[in-house]
Amino acid sequence: MCRCPASLLPQPESHVTHQTVVVLDFGSQYTQLIARRLRELSVYSEIVPHTMPAAEIAKRQPTGIILSGGPRSVSDPGAPMVDNGIFELGVPVMGICYGMQLLTHLLGGTVSPAAHREFGHAMVSPQPGCALFEGLPSAIRVWASHGDFVAAAPPGFDVTATSANAPVAGMQNVERRIYGILFHPEVVHTEHGADILRNFAFHICGCRGDWTMASFVDESVARIRATVGEGRVLCGLSGGVDSTVAAMLIHKAIGPRLTCVFVDNGLLRMNEAEQVRTRFQRLGLNLEFVDATDLFLDGLADVTDPEKKRKIIGGLFIDVFEKRANELGQFDFLAQGTLYPDVIESVSVKGPSAVIKSHHNVGGLPERMRFKLLEPLRELFKDEVRGVGTVLGLEDEFVWRQPFPGPGLAVRVLGALTREKLELCRRADAIIAEEIRAAGWYRKVWQSFAVLLPVQSVGVMGDERTYEFTVAIRAVESRDGMTADWARLPHDLLATMSSRIVNEVRGINRVVLDISSKPPATIEWE
């Protein structure tokens, strides 16, 4: 959708009614998982840069603070630090991996290079009497990722866990309510990781677990009404779960003063445009339908670079959207379905880390489009959005619809786009969707789709030589799209999809399977 100038972080006043655990980001690939795991416990959490001053953190009224892991060593020149004022806020602090090493470094302990680095599984032995490990067995299998170790805990700290290679795998200062662990409780590889985070949130921080999607809906509706007042809202509707849930929230708040615009860019899945039109008429939303297929496909002709594709699509969408908005009259707000992972992936909250890709919901809105931005889902992960959709009464089949990229099939047809290639990809994709549903796998995977490769190969059909295109089947399992693993689909299912695609889609004679995980790959190919 359109590009926005809004802050990349949730505003501190957004959830002052909820108990909040603030996660300071030091660049770990697992930082987002910390926030996700806490929210699964009904504890609201926010990720902020490690550079945020303690005074700014205090404005968020945190019930607890977590220092994430990170790729650096505390002894490195320019290693990321933290405002020591966080230890004076009167709330519990927990350091994870790098976070624990940083606590040690700042509070007078000793961090040294490890003789035997720990990357992967390790066995940790919690000591009795530590609230962080309450209810856990005497030995747990954890996920470690560190080259340094804590040689000596800071003064006033007790050792709460050990491992074969780490004499201080956990530590605590009960009086100051500061805790540290040298492994990652947020990853699924750590046994009882959720229990450790639960103990920190509930037993140490005193959280009640008051973050629910029902409460989010009530608060969002009230906030939207207060923000919009008597104004009018224009919503760019893609037909996917995110923009639909955003539109339904706004509609619940202001009713007919919301108008939705759906732009058919010619890059959608099989029969999707008509399905969207029918669905939203049934939901009672004001929907304006614009067919801009020719404009988009002409604009994308001969374009092969994926970033250029995204920028062209974004620019054309703004042009089409602006033209239709002007025809519809005066609007005060532009709504879109930006999610938390969109923000995190597009611009690192940490600062120096690399941007993976530009996102269609995150960027800069042209000055000429004088809208205020309304993004009611900006603080949510995908599965939370599904929960909101359920609370709003959307049908289950739609709520659990698989994500679809904003640029559509433009990033699933690799290389230059043509109508013929789009149709090949669209038909192969429809077959994959049909078979995935029929086999009962649709809800088990995060996404499953076809990618048309710019590769032709020799085949034989009916005793005749063919020279046709190749399709890759991409199916991944994920919780929120931040990380993903390739789905182990049954061989019989893969065989059925391959056979149908080759026999029913003239122009494709070869099917391959993508078995790459994220990271190092991304879910989409472009």
Side-chain angles (χ1 to χ4, degrees):
M1 294 302 171
C2 298
R3 303 171 185 274
C4 68
S7 166
L8 290 172
L9 295 172
Q11 297 303 304
E13 66 270 22
S14 297
H15 291 288
V16 293
T17 58
H18 287 286
Q19 294 175 310
T20 301
V21 174
V22 170
V23 180
L24 299 188
D25 180 16
F26 289 89
S28 169
Q29 61 179 315
Y30 304 129
T31 299
Q32 292 79 28
L33 290 179
I34 302 172
R36 277 298 307 118
R37 299 298 176 254
L38 288 167
R39 292 192 189 190
E40 288 170 2
L41 298 171
S42 298
V43 175
Y44 183 70
S45 58
E46 287 183 359
I47 300 170
V48 303
H50 69 88
T51 53
M52 179 173 285
E56 289 298 313
I57 295 172
K59 291 179 182 178
R60 286 168 156 75
Q61 302 178 21
T63 55
I65 297 171
I66 293 179
L67 280 57
S68 82
R72 304 286 295 277
S73 168
V74 294
S75 60
D76 288 346
M81 292 288 136
V82 69
D83 185 343
N84 282 17
I86 66 169
F87 305 122
E88 310 305 323
L89 297 180
V91 300
V93 177
M94 178 170 72
I96 294 175
C97 204
Y98 178 88
M100 173 176 163
Q101 296 167 16
L102 183 60
L103 290 177
T104 303
H105 176 75
L106 294 175
L107 300 177
T110 303
V111 178
S112 302
H116 301 283
R117 298 186 301 170
E118 287 189 320
F119 292 104
H121 288 292
M123 294 301 298
V124 163
S125 300
Q127 304 301 302
C130 176
L132 204 58
F133 298 115
E134 183 178 334
L136 271 62
S138 58
I140 56 174
R141 186 176 171 87
V142 304
W143 188 257
S145 179
H146 58 89
D148 291 344
F149 78 112
V150 175
F157 279 75
D158 298 317
V159 175
T160 59
T162 61
S163 74
N165 296 317
V168 187
M171 64 184 192
Q172 68 177 10
N173 184 317
V174 176
E175 183 179 349
R176 299 184 66 181
R177 297 198 290 173
I178 301 175
Y179 302 80
I181 50 178
L182 205 58
F183 56 89
H184 292 276
E186 68 273 24
V187 303
V188 295
H189 308 295
T190 293
E191 296 175 346
H192 302 285
D195 295 325
I196 293 171
L197 292 173
R198 182 183 294 107
N199 285 339
F200 178 72
F202 289 93
H203 299 329
I204 295 173
C205 298
C207 293
R208 297 183 300 271
D210 58 4
W211 172 249
T212 67
M213 292 305 95
S215 67
F216 175 85
V217 168
D218 293 340
E219 292 162 12
S220 293
V221 167
R223 190 160 56 246
I224 291 166
R225 285 175 180 159
T227 301
V228 174
E230 295 302 314
R232 297 177 69 205
V233 178
L234 189 66
C235 179
L237 202 63
S238 70
V241 176
D242 304 338
S243 62
T244 300
V245 170
M248 291 295 289
L249 262 180
I250 298 167
H251 181 72
K252 185 177 177 68
I254 65 171
R257 286 184 288 123
L258 167 70
T259 298
C260 300
V261 174
F262 174 79
V263 177
D264 182 358
N265 56 14
L267 304 170
L268 304 176
R269 290 170 286 198
M270 184 77 74
N271 302 322
E272 189 163 20
E274 188 54 40
Q275 290 170 3
V276 169
R277 191 202 299 256
T278 302
R279 174 175 291 111
F280 290 102
Q281 287 174 344
R282 187 172 69 250
L283 291 173
L285 297 176
N286 293 332
L287 178 65
E288 293 290 326
F289 188 93
V290 181
D291 186 352
T293 298
D294 291 340
L295 178 66
F296 277 82
L297 297 190
D298 289 346
L300 290 165
D302 301 320
V303 177
T304 58
D305 180 76
E307 275 297 285
K308 191 172 181 181
K309 287 181 182 179
R310 290 175 182 272
K311 293 184 185 305
I312 289 173
I313 292 168
L316 288 175
F317 176 85
I318 289 173
D319 292 342
V320 174
F321 191 84
E322 180 184 25
K323 181 175 183 295
R324 190 66 186 120
N326 290 335
E327 294 168 352
L328 292 170
Q330 179 63 40
F331 289 88
D332 306 285
F333 293 86
L334 174 68
Q336 58 186 26
T338 307
L339 304 190
Y340 208 21
D342 300 340
V343 175
I344 293 167
E345 283 204 346
S346 293
V347 179
S348 167
V349 296
K350 174 180 166 301
S353 61
V355 174
I356 297 172
K357 61 186 178 183
S358 61
H359 194 276
H360 57 285
N361 277 358
V362 182
L365 194 67
E367 286 288 332
R368 67 179 186 271
M369 296 184 71
R370 301 186 180 279
F371 292 116
K372 298 173 185 176
L373 206 63
L374 194 62
E375 296 177 305
L377 308 180
R378 190 178 180 85
E379 299 162 352
L380 300 187
F381 289 90
K382 189 76 173 192
D383 56 332
E384 292 176 313
V385 174
R386 297 191 197 280
V388 171
T390 299
V391 171
L392 290 171
L394 288 169
E395 62 268 30
D396 195 58
E397 180 181 354
F398 177 71
V399 167
W400 287 95
R401 189 180 188 189
Q402 292 180 1
F404 188 60
L409 297 182
V411 292
R412 293 182 178 175
V413 175
L414 306 194
L417 297 174
T418 65
R419 293 173 188 266
E420 293 73 23
K421 289 181 181 178
L422 284 167
E423 188 60 21
L424 290 177
C425 186
R426 191 174 284 124
R427 292 177 62 195
D429 185 76
I431 290 171
I432 291 172
E434 288 175 13
E435 294 301 332
I436 286 281
R437 286 183 186 277
W441 273 82
Y442 191 80
R443 288 275 296 270
K444 296 179 183 179
V445 297
W446 174 260
Q447 278 176 280
S448 51
F449 54 89
V451 180
L452 186 72
L453 307 184
V455 174
Q456 289 177 275
S457 63
V458 174
V460 57
M461 298 184 74
D463 294 327
E464 293 185 359
R465 179 186 184 275
T466 61
Y467 191 62
E468 296 176 336
F469 285 100
T470 300
V471 155
I473 295 174
R474 180 67 160 149
V476 298
E477 297 173 338
S478 178
R479 296 190 70 116
D480 49 37
M482 298 303 301
T483 60
D485 192 15
W486 61 280
R488 274 62 169 176
L489 299 178
H491 289 182
D492 288 348
L493 173 57
L494 291 171
T496 300
M497 290 190 290
S498 176
S499 177
R500 283 195 60 192
I501 290 170
V502 170
N503 283 286
E504 297 177 27
V505 185
R506 185 178 295 273
I508 296 173
N509 68 354
R510 193 176 297 271
V511 178
V512 299
L513 178 65
D514 181 351
I515 57 170
S516 308
S517 297
K518 175 186 178 181
T522 54
I523 295 176
E524 299 292 341
W525 278 46
E526 289 191 343

